[in-house]
Amino acid sequence: MNSTPNTSALQGYPRADGRKGIRNIVAVAYLVECAHHVAREIVAQFRPSFDDFAADAREEEPPVHLIGFPGCYPNSYAEQMLERICTHPNVGAVLFVSLGCESMNKHYLADAVRASGRPAAVLTIQEKGGTRSTIQNGLDWVRDARATLAAQEKVPMALDELIVGTICGGSDGTSGITANPAVGRAFDAFIGAGAACIFEETGELVGCEFHMKRRAARPELGDAIVECVQKAARYYTTMGHGSFSVGNADGGLTTQEEKSLGAYSKSGASPIVGIIKPGDVPPTGGLYLLDVVPDGEPRFGFPNISDNAEIGELIACGCHVILFTTGRGSVVGSAISPVIKVCANPATYRNLSGDMDVDAGRILEGRATLDEVGREIVDVTVAVAAGAASKSESLGHQEFILTYKTFEPVGPACLPSGARRVTVAA
């Protein structure tokens, strides 16, 4: 895979911080579970019918997506995640929906969004007369925001401005020999063109830390990678479980190490240039490891309670699009950034073809090579970045989940020389 991806049709929405988005979404963000219903009802008025989704997910007007945080007491991780996601390049405007007595700093978030050059507003249910009145106020604001965004013009976008993330879910015995290494080939092509690529799931890389250390761009980064994975191993040991499900075993995986090797193959063969944590945006192109396991003493049951929690963290790091590999089959998508499904198992693809974008199981049946599927993944990703709908988008999937965690900033060894930890919003 040495050819350069064709990006002649790639355009993006320019943002004040210099980044460009491949979508122009109005995000409606609830700031506590008590405001979830009102926010959901606002978004529901702008969701196309299923028939509209089935026909074409590319709307004439900017789409409206629902995101939010259910907790009432404060958490700096959750606040940072919302700030990063609400100033993500795929987001054009944000409406925050507050009950009024939660701890999330709504005015800080709204100010951060406005400072990024985007329209933003806060609706507080306790001050707006309750459910009906707040929904009506929200509908009016979103209509105005959509009209404003619809007038925004795209500009040319280069491949080295793209950030691509990857995750695996519903893995089976085929994942590590078809879809995952094919995504690795695609990653190498994107990185060769100057893009930033992010892989994660440190809890599913146990046993691979010294392989990654040998690929580290700097010796001190290699040491940090080993500590990052060992932290994940300690976390799971304390909690008494590993990242290995009954479904993985039913699908033919036999050990945590076997699953780790399959997950590791998504990273390709490029040098690893840095480690980042949720909410950190890659400061340069190249391959980055996202550390998703909380710092400090274990205080939470699972580092991520679902695949969508990890997708949200990848989006908070600026990922324009997510490559999701699956062997058993997963139908989830995401709010904010499109999800592209790469199916590892040919039987699963035949059963769930309406949800899958790429049939990597062709490799297993001798109908394609790893390089050919890798090239297809690149082509599909560029097409989605240029405006085509992924399968999950066309079906209306907009899953989102955000929970409690705690992280310390990355150390100087974790970033390329001369780079700094990027903070996007003011």
Side-chain angles (χ1 to χ4, degrees):
M1 284 187 60
N2 296 318
S3 59
T4 302
N6 179 13
T7 60
S8 58
L10 192 57
Q11 293 185 311
Y13 296 97
R15 307 302 181 195
D17 61 15
R19 297 186 295 170
K20 295 167 187 171
I22 63 171
R23 299 291 186 267
N24 207 16
I25 291 162
V26 178
V28 177
Y30 59 92
L31 301 181
V32 65
E33 185 62 25
C34 309
H36 191 166
H37 172 75
V38 169
R40 184 172 58 241
E41 288 299 303
I42 293 169
V43 172
Q45 301 300 314
F46 299 97
R47 283 179 62 85
S49 68
F50 185 78
D51 289 340
D52 291 332
F53 274 127
D56 190 349
R58 290 170 291 180
E59 301 175 81
E60 293 298 322
E61 292 185 279
V64 183
H65 288 192
L66 177 68
I67 61 175
F69 177 63
C72 189
Y73 66 89
N75 180 255
S76 59
Y77 158 81
E79 186 172 276
Q80 176 178 283
M81 287 284 287
L82 276 182
E83 179 185 350
R84 297 296 188 270
I85 290 172
C86 290
T87 55
H88 187 282
N90 288 354
V91 174
V94 184
L95 175 65
F96 294 101
V97 183
S98 161
L99 175 61
C101 51
E102 71 278 354
S103 298
M104 186 69 74
N105 193 336
K106 57 192 174 187
H107 297 298
Y108 167 81
L109 289 171
D111 287 345
V113 174
R114 293 188 192 104
S116 74
R118 296 164 172 84
V122 176
L123 292 180
T124 302
I125 298 168
Q126 292 170 349
E127 298 173 0
K128 289 293 182 182
T131 297
R132 292 184 186 276
S133 177
T134 308
I135 291 172
Q136 187 57 57
N137 276 267
L139 296 176
D140 294 341
W141 191 90
V142 171
R143 288 191 189 98
D144 289 343
R146 291 181 97 195
T148 298
L149 296 185
Q152 187 175 5
E153 294 184 359
K154 291 184 177 182
V155 298
M157 183 175 178
L159 197 63
D160 62 9
E161 298 177 271
L162 201 64
I163 302 179
V164 183
T166 188
I167 179 176
C168 50
S171 300
D172 70 5
T174 68
S175 297
I177 54 179
T178 60
N180 290 0
V183 165
R185 302 292 174 93
F187 259 31
D188 290 338
F190 282 124
I191 291 165
C197 292
I198 305 174
F199 72 110
E200 41 78 68
E201 296 173 292
T202 47
E204 295 182 11
L205 293 170
V206 175
C208 298
E209 57 266 38
F210 291 99
H211 295 294
M212 291 188 287
K213 180 178 181 178
R214 287 192 289 271
R215 291 171 58 193
R218 305 170 302 284
E220 63 272 21
L221 174 62
D223 293 337
I225 289 172
V226 172
E227 171 54 32
C228 178
V229 178
Q230 289 178 345
K231 178 185 70 170
R234 290 193 300 271
Y235 195 106
Y236 281 115
T237 299
T238 300
M239 289 299 175
H241 63 74
S243 184
F244 194 93
S245 71
V246 173
N248 295 147
D250 288 345
L253 291 172
T254 60
T255 63
Q256 176 69 59
E257 290 79 7
E258 184 181 15
K259 184 179 182 184
S260 292
L261 285 169
Y264 171 63
S265 67
K266 300 197 306 299
S267 67
S270 300
I272 301 171
V273 301
I275 299 173
I276 57 177
K277 296 186 181 183
D280 295 338
V281 177
T284 66
L287 180 64
Y288 289 83
L289 171 63
L290 175 59
D291 177 7
V292 299
V293 174
D295 292 322
E297 293 300 317
R299 292 185 289 173
F300 307 97
F302 286 82
N304 280 308
I305 62 173
S306 70
D307 292 327
N308 280 95
E310 292 176 329
I311 291 174
E313 290 174 331
L314 286 165
I315 294 170
C317 292
C319 288
H320 293 88
V321 64
I322 310 296
L323 304 177
F324 189 128
T325 66
T326 184
R328 297 296 303 274
S330 174
V331 301
V332 302
S334 177
I336 309 303
S337 293
V339 170
I340 294 172
K341 295 288 180 45
V342 183
C343 188
N345 190 317
T348 300
Y349 182 85
R350 285 188 282 270
N351 186 42
L352 297 174
S353 60
D355 288 272
M356 303 295 152
D357 297 275
V358 177
D359 178 12
R362 304 189 335 263
I363 298 166
L364 198 66
E365 296 181 333
R367 295 183 287 116
T369 66
L370 273 173
D371 278 345
E372 288 170 341
V373 175
R375 170 55 53 193
E376 182 182 352
I377 294 168
V378 170
D379 291 343
V380 171
T381 303
V382 171
V384 168
S390 70
K391 288 290 184 68
S392 63
E393 283 184 293
S394 70
L395 292 166
H397 283 283
Q398 294 180 11
E399 288 85 351
F400 185 86
I401 186 169
L402 178 57
T403 57
Y404 288 97
K405 283 189 178 183
T406 181
F407 286 96
E408 299 296 329
V410 295
C414 295
L415 296 178
S417 178
R420 61 182 180 85
R421 186 171 179 266
V422 177
T423 55
V424 176

